[in-house]
């Protein structure tokens, strides 16, 4: 089997067994089986009882000057796949709609290569559970899993980008992805008959006012040059036409390219919620979860290394990136360990998180080559 065929095999096998955050046991077993087949005297495979679906690989360098880390996320999304692929998800209601199957496949390719070609620097590979939910990167860090030889001096990762041509890399110095906070809002009203709204406190009307007012957070409180997002993505309340319900529940997200901007937006949302509650004389419960989804801030000198590498390798496609409002919990790890995240183009008309996402597998080989050759080039630097 050629290297290209191996990457495709990994991707298709993993695509069929998507699992949700902290439930990636079948995925973990697949990854573990592959890396055990490549066991070398200079390679350590580490499982973690406290985080059972995580997997660490340490490859000792021949003359290490540094330890380089590489992270691949392994969880999937709660979506019914609608691609019609012959290797579509075998797990109902779960799909690799964010391309983590690609991320894992590239990491497996790198582990296999360096297991057969011992690097000069130490390498740490982290197959991370729970990127989409439950803050797996933060959980791993808080458990002390990056201590001693397992702590990289620099950390790297890639993320699929359907809007880029297959195999094209993209990144930038500074903020690449936004920091995010999730909103959970429960409006407690007084229900009753729709014909007598005067004796109720209608939570649907309150929800409508709240949603409209929250739009002023960005339009009137955020510097338009810096930008931000407040989106309500879920609203649930009521049962039929002639009943005013007791409760309406909302869920949404806040996104900012800076941590200070994110905090300002959170505080403004809290003020608005309190004000609307007072104006309508209802109780509104607001829960804000930030987890590990801090801004993905690429360290300047390490990211410049990537830019220098791409300049020396015109055969590897690269385009500069603009900041995106995408959230990624690699941002938390980059707050602890300097590093860089990159986009990798997978060329599809469907966006990330779509049940129709069908990445172009032509991205796998150039993605692997770019990552492998950068790591080799980086090891040559003093």
């Amino acid at each position: 089997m050629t290297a290209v065929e191996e990457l495709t095999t990994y991707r298709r096998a993993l695509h069929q067994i998507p699992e949700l955050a902290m439930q990636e046991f079948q995925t973990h077993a697949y990854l573990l089986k592959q890396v055990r087949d490549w066991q070398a005297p200079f390679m350590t495979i580490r499982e973690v009882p406290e985080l059972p679906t995580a997997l660490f690989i340490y490859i000792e360098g021949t003359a290490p000057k540094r330890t380089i880390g590489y992270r691949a996320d392994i969880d999937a999304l709660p979506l019914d796949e609608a691609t019609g692929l012959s290797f579509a998800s075998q797990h109902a209601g779960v799909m690799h709609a964010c391309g983590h199957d690609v991320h894992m496949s590239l990491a497996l390719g790198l582990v296999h290569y360096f297991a057969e070609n011992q690097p000069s620097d130490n390498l740490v590979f982290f197959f991370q559970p729970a990127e989409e939910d439950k803050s797996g990167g933060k959980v791993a860090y808080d458990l002390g899993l990056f201590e001693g030889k397992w702590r990289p001096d620099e950390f790297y990762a890639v993320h699929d980008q359907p809007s880029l041509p297959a195999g094209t890399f993209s990144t930038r110095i500074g903020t690449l992805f936004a920091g995010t906070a999730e909103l959970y809002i429960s409006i407690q009203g007084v229900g009753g008959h729709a014909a007598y709204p005067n004796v109720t406190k209608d939570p649907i009307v309150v929800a409508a006012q709240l949603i409209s007012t929250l739009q002023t957070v960005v339009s009137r409180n955020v510097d338009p040059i810096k930008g931000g997002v407040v989106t309500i993505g879920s609203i649930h309340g009521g049962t039929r036409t002639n009943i005013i319900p007791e409760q309406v529940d909302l869920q949404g997200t806040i996104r900012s390219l800076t941590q200070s901007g994110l905090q300002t937006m959170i505080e403004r949302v809290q003020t608005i919620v309190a004000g609307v509650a007072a104006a309508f004389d209802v109780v509104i419960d607001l829960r804000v979860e930030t987890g590990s989804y801090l801004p993905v801030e690429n360290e300047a000198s390490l990211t410049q290394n990537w830019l220098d590498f791409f300049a020396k390798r015109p055969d590897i496609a690269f385009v500069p990136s603009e900041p995106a409002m995408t959230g990624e919990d690699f941002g938390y790890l980059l707050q602890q360990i300097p590093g860089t995240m990159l986009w990798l183009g997978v060329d599809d008309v469907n966006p990330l998180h779509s049940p129709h996402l069908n990445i172009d597998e032509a991205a796998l080989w150039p993605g692997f080559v770019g990552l492998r050759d950068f790591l080799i080039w980086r090891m040559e630097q003093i």
Side-chain angles (χ1 to χ4, degrees), residues 35-316:
V35 298
R36 278 179 172 165
D37 287 345
W38 311 323
Q39 183 71 67
F42 49 84
M43 187 170 85
T44 304
I45 300 172
R46 179 191 186 192
E47 296 182 83
V48 183
E50 305 93 327
L51 194 58
T53 56
L55 184 63
F56 286 83
I57 313 295
Y58 181 86
I59 299 180
E60 183 179 358
T62 56
K65 304 180 291 298
R66 61 182 68 85
T67 297
I68 302 174
Y70 185 83
R71 175 274 217 167
D73 38 7
I74 71 173
D75 59 328
L77 288 162
L79 287 173
D80 284 308
E81 182 163 351
T83 62
L85 293 169
S86 61
F87 52 90
S89 170
Q90 297 175 354
H91 296 168
V94 188
M95 177 191 175
H96 273 302
C98 203
H100 294 185
D101 51 343
V102 174
H103 304 172
M104 289 184 280
S105 301
L106 296 174
L108 283 175
L110 293 172
V111 173
H112 192 185
Y113 177 83
F114 287 109
E116 295 183 345
N117 302 271
Q118 187 175 7
S120 57
D121 282 336
N122 302 324
L123 295 174
V124 170
F125 292 91
F126 174 37
F127 290 91
Q128 180 203 306
E131 188 280 321
E132 297 290 352
D133 189 22
K134 304 186 186 301
S135 303
K138 183 177 188 301
V139 171
Y141 190 87
D142 291 349
L143 284 171
L145 303 183
F146 295 101
E147 295 178 357
K149 75 176 187 178
W150 298 97
R151 184 179 183 89
D153 297 303
E154 50 200 64
F155 221 166
Y156 303 112
V158 298
H159 198 297
D160 299 71
Q161 177 50 276
S163 67
L164 288 173
T168 297
F169 286 92
S170 184
T171 195
R172 70 188 304 272
I173 293 172
T175 302
L176 182 66
F177 296 163
T180 74
E182 308 311 309
L183 304 177
Y184 299 90
I185 303 170
S186 180
I187 303 169
Q188 304 291 330
V190 175
H193 198 294
Y196 304 100
N198 55 302
V199 296
T200 71
K201 295 178 182 178
D202 190 341
I204 290 179
V205 172
V206 177
Q209 181 66 48
L210 181 58
I211 292 169
S212 296
T213 307
L214 286 175
Q215 303 313 303
T216 67
V217 172
V218 173
S219 67
R220 289 299 178 267
N221 300 113
V222 174
D223 184 337
I225 302 301
K226 296 180 180 179
V229 168
V230 176
T231 294
I232 299 299
S234 172
I235 178 168
H236 292 275
T239 56
R240 56 179 296 170
T241 62
N242 63 347
I243 299 174
I244 292 174
E246 293 278 337
Q247 179 174 325
V248 171
D249 296 313
L250 312 174
Q251 295 182 17
T253 186
I254 306 174
R255 299 181 178 228
S256 173
L257 295 174
T258 67
Q259 190 61 24
S260 61
L262 185 65
Q263 186 58 41
T264 296
M265 294 171 71
I266 290 172
E267 291 171 359
R268 185 60 187 150
V269 167
Q270 291 168 333
T271 299
I272 289 172
V273 167
V276 170
F280 286 88
D281 191 24
V282 295
V283 174
I284 304 180
D285 178 63
L286 168 65
R287 179 163 53 93
V288 180
E289 294 185 359
T290 55
S292 62
Y293 298 89
L294 306 182
V296 174
E297 298 182 286
N298 289 337
E299 199 276 332
S301 62
L302 296 177
T303 306
Q304 187 62 52
N305 287 336
W306 279 96
L307 302 180
D308 293 343
F309 168 74
F310 290 128
K312 295 175 184 294
R313 290 291 300 271
D315 58 310
I316 298 175

Side-chain angles (χ1 to χ4, degrees), residues 2-15 70 87 99-110 158 160 165-169 316 344-347 359-372:
T2 67
V4 175
E5 291 171 334
E6 281 192 357
L7 292 169
T8 303
T9 297
Y10 303 150
R11 187 258 160 165
R12 294 187 177 190
L14 290 163
H15 189 82
Y70 185 83
F87 52 90
H100 294 185
D101 51 343
V102 174
H103 304 172
M104 289 184 280
S105 301
L106 296 174
L108 283 175
L110 293 172
V158 298
D160 299 71
T168 297
F169 286 92
I316 298 175
L344 175 66
V346 294
D347 191 20
I359 69 102
D360 186 346
E361 291 178 335
L364 293 171
W365 179 245
F368 165 74
V369 169
L371 293 168
R372 178 199 65 189

Side-chain angles (χ1 to χ4, degrees), residues 17-21 23-28 74-76 91 94:
I17 55 170
E19 296 164 293
L20 299 178
Q23 301 175 29
E24 311 96 333
F25 294 101
Q26 193 174 352
T27 302
H28 174 89
I74 71 173
D75 59 328
H91 296 168
V94 188

Side-chain angles (χ1 to χ4, degrees), residues 315-378:
D315 58 310
I316 298 175
F318 172 78
V319 295
S321 178
E322 294 295 326
M325 286 296 174
T326 309
E328 238 286 354
D329 84 339
F330 194 58
Y332 182 86
L333 293 174
L334 289 186
Q335 296 293 328
Q336 322 304 322
I337 301 168
T340 302
M341 177 164 251
L342 305 96
W343 287 116
L344 175 66
V346 294
D347 191 20
D348 189 33
V349 296
N350 302 293
L352 296 171
H353 292 207
S354 165
H356 301 278
L357 181 70
N358 183 12
I359 69 102
D360 186 346
E361 291 178 335
L364 293 171
W365 179 245
F368 165 74
V369 169
L371 293 168
R372 178 199 65 189
D373 289 3
F374 170 80
L375 292 174
I376 294 171
W377 176 81
R378 176 66 179 139

